[in-house]
Amino acid sequence: MNKVEATPLYQGSFRWFLVARCAAMVAYQMVGVAVGWQIYDLTHRALDLGLVGLVQFIPSLLLVLLVGHAADRYDRRRLVALAQILEAAAVLVLCCATIGHWVSRDVLFFFVFAVGIARAFESPTMQTLVPSLVDKEELPKAMAASASVMQAAIIVGPMLGGFLYVAGPAVVYGVSFALFLFSALLISRIRIKRTIPKREPLSLASIFAGVAYIRSKPVLLGAISFDLFAVLLGGVTALLPIYARDILFATPRGLGLLRSAPAVGAFAASLYLARCPLRNKVGKAMFNAVTWFGLGTIVFALSRSMTISFLALVLLGWADMLSVVIRSSLVQLETPDEMRGRVSAVNFVFIGASNQLGEFESGVTAAWFGVVPAAVIGGVGTLMIVALWRYLFPELAHRDRLHSGDSESIVPDKGTAHETGKIVR
């Protein structure tokens, strides 16, 4: 086999996995643009934008133990495909509701909740598939490729959603419906490269194993909680429709551009890390990244220029990617495959808490103090978290390598964005 054919990108199942994941993320980001703009059009309330995040986070919190055990016990491909079919169904109903003029705030919240249920199963399970699609020695390259494709999708999705929204939200929902179904079809047809180990019987101990494992690793707990609280306070995604419409006086296309900006920075960071993987002083790098995340949030909050706002969000995305790389690498390197579903599910709840609860926090503080003060408070709060976590988790601040004994670091899959992962970060 020649050198080109040996790389993960040229192995059939992994290639189709990348296409499927890209399609699903583009659809998800498009839905985020449509829901955000549509609900603000209906209510003109910042709090409702924040509630979108809360409504989507609740299923992840309630289902975390069930999702993790299911991902380790059943066919992961079927779980992902069924979740995407549920997302497609929810989006199709939103399309019909918009066309039939019976869409409302409560209808949007109900189907965002349905999407949240599907995402609770889809995102953590999707992350566990990559090690089963490529050889162990190819995993670093596969993770780097997956992270780059995901960030490209997060860039394209909001921009495409903003462009299509000009023709109406129903068009956005219709295209998203087709993309979700396409992704489900591809995922159901990929072939697992390695045999999944036999699963342990259902018990309370096995269900809570992911929580216990993370608690047993202080550095891992510190990294996950650091990302949680930093983004919880510093996230400004929920406020983007208000900034685009009332502060920067932009169109839905402008909103799509703003929502793409963090992904531009994250995509650039993923390409950089693919060429220059983190090898030492990873703790210091993580704290520096979150510091820049807070500073980028403050600059965005005070900006009245579309260009400066876009660049501030790019910086925010770059910093966020560096932080996520370290956290996700720790999870990937220190978790055995038979527990990966449960640990990934717990990790996804932390990501969801930072993303969706961050949106809720932004909406609440914006309703209390105003949009600009809320964003500034979030950025300052992030900087305070940096100082506090240096004190609470000195082992994390002084961590040198991602995994002791590893000769090579990896670039992990962001997963969630921004997971990413959410109706969007």
Side-chain angles (χ1 to χ4, degrees):
M1 182 178 291
N2 61 41
K3 220 172 183 181
V4 172
E5 291 174 334
T7 61
L9 284 173
Y10 287 87
Q11 295 178 4
S13 289
F14 184 71
R15 180 173 66 246
W16 292 122
F17 169 83
L18 290 182
V19 174
R21 196 158 194 199
C22 180
M25 182 54 68
V26 167
Y28 188 61
Q29 298 295 327
M30 288 170 58
V31 171
V33 171
V35 168
W37 195 275
Q38 194 172 26
I39 202 165
Y40 192 60
D41 254 347
L42 289 170
T43 70
H44 299 283
R45 294 176 57 199
L47 180 60
D48 286 334
L49 292 172
L51 286 173
V52 171
L54 179 63
V55 168
Q56 195 181 10
F57 169 71
I58 290 173
S60 299
L61 181 62
L62 297 179
L63 297 172
V64 54
L65 300 178
L66 175 62
V67 168
H69 195 79
D72 283 334
R73 192 176 179 88
Y74 302 109
D75 189 326
R76 293 168 178 172
R77 295 167 298 179
R78 291 186 179 180
L79 282 176
V80 171
L82 288 173
Q84 290 176 339
I85 290 172
L86 176 58
E87 288 174 297
V91 171
L92 179 62
V93 175
L94 285 179
C95 179
C96 295
T98 302
I99 293 173
H101 302 290
W102 50 274
V103 69
S104 66
R105 170 182 175 273
D106 292 339
V107 168
L108 287 169
F109 281 155
F110 179 82
F111 287 100
V112 166
F113 185 80
V115 170
I117 293 175
R119 292 287 293 177
F121 283 91
E122 178 195 6
S123 292
T125 307
M126 184 83 84
Q127 294 179 44
T128 66
L129 282 174
V130 179
S132 301
L133 296 174
V134 298
D135 295 327
K136 185 177 180 180
E137 58 271 17
E138 295 286 0
L139 184 59
K141 294 178 182 178
M143 288 296 188
S146 182
S148 298
V149 168
M150 285 293 291
Q151 293 310 314
I154 296 173
I155 294 170
V156 171
M159 296 178 67
L160 182 58
F163 178 79
L164 292 177
Y165 196 93
V166 175
V171 175
V172 180
Y173 295 138
V175 174
S176 300
F177 165 75
L179 288 174
F180 277 131
L181 284 185
F182 176 65
S183 180
L185 176 63
L186 290 181
I187 287 293
S188 65
R189 295 176 66 86
I190 64 174
R191 300 175 63 183
I192 299 298
K193 190 174 184 66
R194 294 204 304 270
T195 303
I196 301 298
K198 185 178 180 180
R199 307 306 178 192
E200 58 188 288
L202 178 64
S203 67
L204 285 178
S206 67
I207 291 176
F208 284 92
V211 177
Y213 184 83
I214 291 175
R215 287 186 60 188
S216 71
K217 302 282 185 178
V219 171
L220 186 58
L221 176 61
I224 293 175
S225 60
F226 186 32
D227 184 82
L228 163 67
F229 286 102
V231 179
L232 175 65
L233 294 175
V236 295
T237 301
L239 303 179
L240 290 183
I242 303 176
Y243 265 92
R245 181 168 181 165
D246 299 340
I247 296 176
L248 300 174
F249 304 106
T251 65
R253 294 183 186 181
L255 173 60
L257 186 65
L258 290 177
R259 297 190 78 131
S260 297
V264 171
F267 181 61
S270 70
L271 293 179
Y272 170 77
L273 291 169
R275 296 180 60 88
C276 306
L278 295 170
R279 298 187 184 281
N280 49 44
K281 296 183 178 180
V282 295
K284 181 179 179 181
M286 185 175 190
F287 278 90
N288 289 341
V290 177
T291 298
W292 282 109
F293 183 90
L295 293 174
T297 300
I298 295 172
V299 171
F300 172 80
L302 300 175
S303 171
R304 295 297 180 273
S305 163
M306 188 69 174
T307 301
I308 294 176
S309 297
F310 180 83
L311 293 177
L313 291 173
V314 169
L315 172 63
L316 188 150
W318 174 284
D320 187 37
M321 184 62 169
L322 292 179
S323 172
V324 169
V325 159
I326 297 169
R327 172 180 52 76
S328 300
S329 294
L330 290 170
V331 173
Q332 290 286 344
L333 288 169
E334 298 191 12
T335 305
D337 185 69
E338 61 270 16
M339 287 187 59
R340 190 168 281 126
R342 282 162 287 180
V343 172
S344 294
V346 175
N347 185 43
F348 179 68
V349 168
F350 276 83
I351 296 172
S354 64
N355 293 336
Q356 280 84 44
L357 287 187
E359 293 179 12
F360 178 64
E361 178 271 336
S362 297
V364 170
T365 54
W368 287 349
F369 307 115
V371 176
V372 174
V376 172
I377 290 171
V380 172
T382 297
L383 298 180
M384 294 174 64
I385 289 295
V386 171
L388 181 60
W389 253 243
R390 283 186 185 275
Y391 173 76
L392 294 177
F393 296 95
E395 305 95 336
L396 176 61
H398 297 97
R399 179 75 177 234
D400 185 48
R401 291 183 175 271
L402 292 170
H403 190 8
S404 58
D406 277 2
S407 60
E408 185 177 1
S409 301
I410 70 170
V411 180
D413 183 7
K414 187 174 174 72
T416 79
H418 110 164
E419 259 282 12
T420 214
K422 58 185 185 308
I423 297 217
V424 287
R425 180 171 178 166

